[in-house]
Amino acid sequence: MHSAVFLIEFGAIILALGLLGRFAGRFQFSPIPLYLLAGLAFGEGGLLPLGASEEFVAIGAEIGVILLLLMLGLEYTASDLVSNLKTQYPAGLVDCTLNALPGAVAALLMGWGPVAAVVLAGVTWISSSGVIAKVLGDLGRLGNRETPVILSILVLEDLAMAVYLPIITALLAGVGWAAGSLTLAIALGAAGLVLFLAVRYGRLISRFVSSDDPEKLLLVVLGLTILVAGIAQQLQVSAAVGAFLVGIALSGEVAEGAHSLLAPLRDLFAAVFFVFFGLHTDPASIPPVLLPALALAVVTALTKIATGYWAARRAGISVKGRWRAGGALVARGEFSIVIAGLAVAAGIEPSLGPLATAYVLILVIAGPLTARYTQPIAGSVAGLLTRRREAAAETALVPGPRGPVESLDGQDVPDRP
């Protein structure tokens, strides 16, 4: 009976996702907001709460994030990554300053204390790699010039999480400096080792993985990715970072073959991830914190756009590409929820969980929209301002009427005395 209920629930979810995806495709916009709303409808407090399939959906959501980052890593080589990290680290510092500060200030203004301020700073700082990777793919921008800039910022954020998570865990647990330092050293060592292996021995890894049989190639790449992601998470390093580095380590025909084989799986599990996010958002908890969450979302959306614009300008990208880079970085998602979840479990501040949930929900819906429309809106505003400046300049240069002027009905109007 339990198995039958599970099959019915999970089948209904997949069917609903397929129909929503077709609807979004017909009107040419990203299906992510629809997936989230579907999660709200099927979650606790929603229209049709699920029960039997929730655990399976949770595991599917983790696999979805891993596959999203793996596919993103397959787009670039290890040399691309190192080159981008060397040139884009100032963008990471600007990103941290502009986007962590509003969260910390908001928490202090609400009287939540310094630990909650560090937590909310992390919530507002980290963009959603999963959402952004999906949006870039949906919009066909993976080959754009600004995409490596976006990717560099995301990778810097993910690597920064390897440092941030052990720190916040130690703060929330109240452990001493010695235990906290040991955890931090393990995390940094693991991240450095994985990055070193990916850069130094990427060709050997590709040769090991390579196979002419698509079935074997799929199993080996998928198994290796999930294994590395699990080990990374066990060592307090983000599983997403581990999956991304596996993608970086693979190159050439292996990367192309893995990309083709894994793309359908990526789409399926990524959709499940967004449903899972919605499942864990109780619609009744949103209204009381909606206004402060909305204000924080507006401020940090603008700071993210400024971050992307600045980073792309620094990389010599055109004005259109700068706006696209800024708009693409707005979405927050999985990492923000992970950080807020740690604080809620530690009982730091009761209002932090609902506020973070509402905040992420706003930006995970707004993110795909800003990615698509920031550049056209900025172009329209710039064009309007240019036309107004030109009109004002012409008015200032042209002398006043010397003779009779023509009225609206075509008749001459005599000069005023």
Side-chain angles (χ1 to χ4, degrees), residues 30 78 140 247 308 322 378:
S30 173
R322 297 171 198 171

Side-chain angles (χ1 to χ4, degrees), residues 185 195 239 329:
L195 184 60
L329 286 170

